[in-house]
Amino acid sequence: MNPLKLAIQKSGRLSEDTLSLVKDCGISFTQTSGKLKAEARNFPLEFLFLRDDDIPQYVANGIADIGIVGDNVRAEMNENVEIIQKLGFSKCRLSLAVQRDFQYNNVQDLAHKSIATSYPNILKKFLDDQNIQADIHVISGSVEIAPSIGLATAICDIVSSGSTLLSNGLKEVETVFKSEAVLIGTPHLSAEKNAILQQLKFRIDAVQKAKDYKYILMNVPNHAIDTIHKILPVMKSPTILPLALEGWSSLHSVVREDDFWQIIQHLKEAGAEGILVIPIEKMIM
Ligand code: ATP
Ligand code: ZN
């Protein structure tokens, strides 16, 4: 069987989470330093280790079948690739920033000004959508120093916490693009490779769902089971097991991590005790 070829970042901000996703999917391989390829031992998948900027192009021209990149890179490169799945990690945004003392009211204030960026295509689309003409300066790194050396009035760069902007005397004024890691591919995969991709997607789904949910168990007085059942938005129906203590049961269910802190107080008020919340490794609905 021909393996499916997956392009991933060789080393950088995407690598660690990409590798842990692969591992959580139960796929193992040995990465030999200096080698650009590796084959999985237990799944028909071959890895290509590349610079992230090259991944969209390699997927578009079929050297790789699929790839994992930041959506910012996919959008900037403008290759013929599509998003197969959002992956939820490496979240960041591309933002416009200006020097702290720049009187900024709205994006019109940047008309006919110079803006330094490594993302000219994304920036141009954003400005075009707002009907703004500006002078885009393409620079490949250290974009955030451009205003202080007089190269540009504004910058458009990746922000995650904002501390780099702050330490360069800049303020963030506009979000241009929201990004996260995405799995990309092309529509024209062979039937054989598409079948492997579907298996891989099935595993990624199970891993992602498991991350969104927690297993929850608690002791409840029998008279409160109905009330507590209503509080918990469960998959199908909670599991209820009798405790050795007369009149009490152990109730097991699954909750969305995002809902958990809202629900917890209601559970306690309804009489739940000894509440345990446990991570789930895989979840198949
Ligand atoms: P390469 O050597 O592969 O070209 P790079 O230096 O261009 O790497 P990285 O800095 O490793 O790229 O970033 C890779 C991707 O991670 C970015 O395209 C973006 O999607 C995401 N990213 C970048 N900075 C951050 C950040 N501070 N927080 C979260 N995600 C980020
Ligand atoms: Zn890069």
Side-chain angles (χ1 to χ4, degrees):
M1 192 195 273
N2 273 330
L4 186 71
K5 288 180 280 183
L6 168 66
I8 62 177
Q9 191 187 23
K10 189 160 180 274
S11 76
R13 285 198 161 101
L14 292 162
S15 312
E16 192 181 328
D17 286 338
T18 299
L19 294 179
S20 59
L21 175 65
V22 167
K23 183 164 170 275
D24 290 347
C25 286
I27 298 169
S28 59
F29 69 98
T30 312
Q31 187 174 4
T32 317
S33 74
K35 271 206 166 176
L36 294 182
K37 278 194 202 177
E39 207 152 318
R41 280 191 286 275
N42 53 0
F43 195 83
L45 195 64
E46 183 176 277
F47 297 89
L48 305 180
F49 306 103
L50 302 169
R51 280 200 61 194
D52 66 344
D53 317 63
D54 297 334
I55 291 175
Q57 186 191 338
Y58 278 53
V59 171
N61 65 23
I63 291 173
D65 298 309
I66 55 173
I68 294 178
V69 280
D71 198 25
N72 52 312
V73 169
R74 179 205 58 81
E76 181 61 28
M77 295 305 169
N78 214 2
E79 295 281 351
N80 187 18
V81 294
E82 57 188 32
I83 298 176
I84 301 171
Q85 203 156 352
K86 293 184 175 182
L87 298 174
F89 60 82
S90 295
K91 287 195 173 166
C92 58
R93 57 191 186 274
L94 269 178
S95 287
L96 282 166
V98 292
Q99 282 189 302
R100 236 187 331 248
D101 54 6
F102 184 95
Q103 290 283 328
Y104 184 91
N105 302 302
N106 59 50
V107 70
Q108 296 294 340
D109 296 340
L110 298 178
H112 310 295
K113 300 276 194 299
S114 58
I115 309 175
T117 188
S118 316
Y119 293 90
N121 293 326
I122 295 177
L123 177 59
K124 173 139 189 357
K125 182 170 183 309
F126 175 82
L127 295 173
D128 285 351
D129 287 349
Q130 321 247 356
N131 260 323
I132 291 167
Q133 301 263 335
D135 179 16
I136 299 176
H137 267 272
V138 184
I139 48 179
S140 59
S142 303
V143 175
E144 61 284 348
I145 62 161
S148 63
I149 60 172
L151 184 71
T153 304
I155 64 160
C156 172
D157 202 13
I158 289 182
V159 179
S160 58
S161 71
S163 57
T164 311
L165 292 182
L166 215 62
S167 61
N168 283 285
L170 300 171
K171 61 180 177 189
E172 187 178 356
V173 289
E174 216 71 60
T175 303
V176 171
F177 188 87
K178 286 197 173 136
S179 182
E180 66 184 86
V182 289
L183 182 66
I184 56 169
T186 53
H188 37 261
L189 276 186
S190 68
E192 186 188 41
K193 289 201 167 171
N194 194 44
I196 305 171
L197 174 59
Q198 295 315 313
Q199 284 182 44
L200 179 66
K201 271 182 68 183
F202 178 83
R203 293 191 186 194
I204 293 175
D205 270 338
V207 170
Q208 284 189 320
K209 284 212 187 76
K211 290 216 165 83
D212 291 343
Y213 288 86
K214 296 278 182 251
Y215 192 81
I216 183 167
L217 51 158
M218 68 203 84
N219 297 330
V220 298
N222 288 345
H223 64 80
I225 289 175
D226 267 0
T227 318
I228 288 178
H229 184 178
K230 290 198 187 94
I231 298 170
L232 284 167
V234 287
M235 293 169 85
K236 217 173 213 155
S237 162
T239 305
I240 295 165
L241 303 167
L243 289 190
L245 181 66
E246 185 81 27
W248 283 76
S249 298
S250 171
L251 188 149
H252 299 210
S253 189
V254 165
V255 291
R256 227 174 216 291
E257 170 139 53
D258 293 346
D259 296 336
F260 170 72
W261 292 108
Q262 283 195 325
I263 289 171
I264 200 80
Q265 198 54 33
H266 298 302
L267 292 175
K268 283 175 70 184
E269 281 160 17
E273 291 179 5
I275 302 169
L276 298 181
V277 179
I278 300 169
I280 299 172
E281 194 177 296
K282 308 279 187 296
M283 183 157 155
I284 294 121
M285 305 278 249

